[in-house]
Amino acid sequence: MSGPTRSFHVLFVCTGNTCRSPLAAAAFRAEFAPEGERITVESAGTSAFEGQPISQGSLEVAASEGIDLSSHRAHRVTRAQLDQADLVLVMEPQHRAALQMLGAPMDRVKVLSMWPEDREPALPVSDPFGASREAYEECWRRIRHHVRRIAPEVRRALLEREAS
């Protein structure tokens, strides 16, 4: 009998780690609650100010779904996080380029709206920072949509890992 399987590690990355990536991580955790101990989820930012709290708009839209993000604190993405992640989901192509500059394993870095197979680039996850409540709500809707859309891909990868 083999030892325990390493969890599948997903990292969400945006710019400041105060809006989109923490929302995406929360949506992903909610979607994958039954697989909880088998999946590790983190978020980070390419230009985050360490320790900054989540934006008020993100806090409110998550709370409207019963998700408490009040303890979230921003942090900048590290090379160690990139190396540990099985899948890195970024919000925009510019985030992918920034991670490439950090030496990220690019075969694991995908734009959320464009993976798998360039699926829905017309539904980008735009940064709502400083915008209206409606902008945060639309961002949250798109993130949840994309997380639900990619869930079968992630579950397939998890099953493949466990079978090997």
Side-chain angles (χ1 to χ4, degrees):
M1 186 164 119
S2 64
T5 303
R6 181 177 72 85
S7 68
F8 193 83
H9 191 132
V10 180
L11 173 64
F12 288 94
V13 178
C14 67
T15 305
N17 193 222
T18 61
C19 298
R20 294 173 289 176
S21 59
L23 284 175
F28 195 87
R29 282 186 198 101
E31 180 70 25
F32 285 86
E35 294 95 341
E37 71 282 349
R38 296 165 45 211
I39 295 182
T40 301
V41 183
E42 290 185 292
S43 70
T46 58
S47 301
F49 291 105
E50 294 290 330
Q52 188 172 21
I54 194 161
S55 68
Q56 189 63 34
S58 291
L59 184 68
E60 291 172 5
V61 296
S64 72
E65 299 280 330
I67 298 169
D68 180 10
L69 293 178
S70 61
S71 64
H72 174 80
R73 294 297 176 263
H75 71 274
R76 190 176 297 249
V77 67
T78 66
R79 177 61 196 259
Q81 284 179 302
L82 295 169
D83 289 342
Q84 292 170 358
D86 295 295
L87 178 61
V88 180
L89 293 165
V90 300
M91 302 299 124
E92 300 175 26
Q94 71 186 29
H95 298 131
R96 192 170 194 280
L99 298 184
Q100 185 172 21
M101 298 289 287
L102 288 174
M106 295 311 289
D107 60 322
R108 295 184 234 158
V109 181
K110 314 293 182 190
V111 178
L112 181 61
S113 65
M114 300 168 91
W115 181 77
E117 301 174 23
D118 205 21
R119 290 299 264 235
E120 297 189 66
L123 281 178
V125 181
S126 300
D127 192 354
F129 186 75
S132 67
R133 169 67 186 236
E134 291 77 21
Y136 279 93
E137 289 170 349
E138 181 61 21
C139 177
W140 179 236
R141 275 191 294 276
R142 288 184 183 203
I143 285 170
R144 286 183 309 166
H145 169 79
H146 290 306
V147 165
R148 289 179 188 133
R149 184 181 56 72
I150 67 166
E153 294 291 325
V154 175
R155 285 192 171 97
R156 188 172 13 265
L158 182 59
L159 289 173
E160 288 172 7
R161 158 141 329 135
E162 291 173 344
S164 61

